[in-house]
Amino acid sequence: MSRYVISLGGNALGNNAEEQKKLLKYVAHAIYPLIEMNHDIVIVHGNGPQVGMINLAFNESPSTPLMPFAECGAMSQGYIGYHIQNAIQNIMLERHIKRPIATVVTQVLVDEKDPAFLHQTKPIGSFYKKEEADELSLKHGYTMVEDAGRGYRRVIASPKPVDVIEKESILSLLKDKQIVIAAGGGGIPVIQRNGELVGVDAVIDKDHASAKIAEIVGADELFILTAVEHVYIDYNTPNQKALKDITLKELDIYLEESHFKKGSMLPKIEACMNFVRATGRPAVIAALEKAVEAFKQTSGTIIKP
Ligand code: ADP
Ligand code: MG
């Protein structure tokens, strides 16, 4: 029996409730063999499009109050957690297997002094015209920047996860053989101020949060499932080459040669390297559609010490 942390990319979730339900049905089928083998499982998921959608719905409706970003993140954890629970419960019902599953609304501690708060880089929500952007910035103190010729968008900070506030709950659920969904969207970012935990406007990268969760629960393996079958060097060039088995030392060289794109593959590589370095255990980056093979280590990129 092993303990796995499985991290699902935003691509796993589609663009609306119906798509999300359908895609998660596939995810549930892929994870099912691990459930049947009685492995411990923690599922972490992204929430980029979903949290943007929730935030936008509040922002654009004149009859509802503005909703802080941390609260929107909490809503997305509940909504996505419900769909993951439902998909896994339905396959267990079909196969006559019983195992409890629960979503933990998860706060993740970040450092108020994280330099990320000084350089807000993560665009969220909808696009605005210059005048609208100026107004939002004046009215709500948002930082607005021009995003690749498509208009102005709000940007927020993306600090690193320091600790998981609900870690004891996650550990007891695992001890109780429950399947756990936690740190959705990277977790709800909170800082510690005057002895209180306070939610902040930020987005924690879900790849880094997955690695933190994997470290805390003592995972035997971390799986990051995304849209590509492997990590590649010279990605998107005629020389593109898939990496299958790779060590930390080899990855260091590729990192130096900038083979991994910031904001997409780089955080996955960094997160996996942190986990492998801290635990001496392997991490796998693979395609969601090849999840079954990835769990058997016959597809994807396996990162080893
Ligand atoms: P997720 O929602 O799963 O976090 P991302 O889009 O953030 O997905 O990251 C995965 C994407 O990273 C891939 O779809 C691919 O386009 C991109 N990518 C950038 N560099 C590489 C690379 N060297 N190898 C593989 N994929 C890469
Ligand atoms: Mg990503």
Side-chain angles (χ1 to χ4, degrees):
M1 205 224 24
S2 301
R3 181 166 283 188
Y4 297 129
V5 169
I6 302 166
S7 176
L8 307 174
N11 309 293
L13 306 171
N15 294 310
N16 56 54
E18 274 319 303
E19 272 181 40
Q20 181 166 291
K21 263 206 270 199
K22 221 160 118 194
L23 286 158
L24 284 172
K25 215 172 182 171
Y26 170 75
V27 173
H29 272 82
I31 293 177
Y32 180 74
L34 305 180
I35 298 174
E36 204 178 24
M37 287 187 268
N38 217 24
H39 292 306
D40 289 345
I41 299 163
V42 183
I43 300 167
V44 179
H45 60 80
N47 76 345
Q50 295 74 22
V51 77
M53 199 160 69
I54 293 167
N55 193 239
L56 188 64
F58 279 100
N59 279 0
E60 306 231 316
S61 150
S63 53
T64 54
L66 268 192
M67 195 54 69
F69 207 71
E71 275 73 359
C72 295
M75 288 182 201
S76 78
Q77 287 187 350
Y79 154 61
I80 299 166
Y82 150 54
H83 275 179
I84 298 177
Q85 283 174 210
N86 184 268
I88 290 180
Q89 279 156 342
N90 279 338
I91 188 167
M92 287 195 293
L93 275 173
E94 188 190 302
R95 311 279 172 96
H96 306 286
I97 272 207
K98 254 188 145 167
R99 242 178 103 177
I101 172 165
T103 299
V104 178
V105 173
T106 316
Q107 302 169 89
V108 171
L109 185 70
V110 297
D111 183 355
E112 197 174 3
K113 298 202 180 75
D114 190 309
F117 284 108
L118 300 173
H119 307 281
Q120 296 170 314
T121 51
K122 181 104 188 158
I124 54 156
S126 51
F127 294 88
Y128 297 95
K129 293 200 190 78
K130 172 109 179 61
E131 308 77 65
E132 296 169 315
D134 288 344
E135 198 185 316
L136 280 169
S137 156
L138 206 69
K139 201 162 151 197
H140 304 296
Y142 295 172
T143 308
M144 308 291 294
V145 300
E146 213 279 322
D147 188 359
R150 295 174 295 179
Y152 285 77
R153 279 179 102 182
R154 182 178 175 199
V155 284
I156 58 177
S158 190
K160 292 279 184 300
V162 173
D163 201 4
V164 175
I165 305 298
E166 285 77 13
K167 65 182 171 196
E168 302 300 339
S169 307
I170 294 167
L171 287 165
S172 357
L173 288 168
L174 283 174
K175 209 166 154 196
D176 198 32
K177 289 310 284 180
Q178 304 217 30
I179 300 160
V180 184
I181 301 151
I188 303 158
V190 295
I191 55 167
Q192 198 144 26
R193 185 184 280 165
N194 304 328
E196 260 184 54
L197 296 172
V198 186
V200 288
D201 284 345
V203 174
I204 301 166
D205 188 282
K206 75 110 179 42
D207 299 317
H208 287 297
S210 313
K212 180 56 79 182
I213 291 271
E215 215 183 301
I216 287 174
V217 303
D220 294 297
E221 212 160 328
L222 167 65
F223 291 97
I224 297 188
L225 301 180
T226 181
V228 280
E229 222 177 300
H230 299 277
V231 178
Y232 301 90
I233 49 169
D234 296 315
Y235 181 61
N236 260 346
T237 73
N239 300 327
Q240 170 174 310
K241 187 175 155 253
L243 301 175
K244 294 191 176 151
D245 255 298
I246 186 132
T247 63
L248 291 178
K249 217 167 158 186
E250 291 167 311
L251 265 179
D252 269 331
I253 298 168
Y254 295 138
L255 268 179
E256 204 139 293
E257 294 172 358
S258 311
H259 285 279
F260 316 118
K261 225 173 135 201
K262 259 188 180 171
S264 59
M265 191 46 76
L266 185 64
K268 293 183 207 313
I269 297 284
E270 287 171 346
C272 288
M273 289 178 82
N274 287 343
F275 171 75
V276 174
R277 202 175 288 124
T279 63
R281 293 172 184 167
V284 177
I285 298 173
L288 186 87
E289 303 89 81
K290 292 280 173 82
V292 174
E293 291 86 349
F295 294 142
K296 294 183 197 146
Q297 293 201 353
T298 57
S299 180
T301 299
I302 303 158
I303 301 160
K304 290 178 175 158

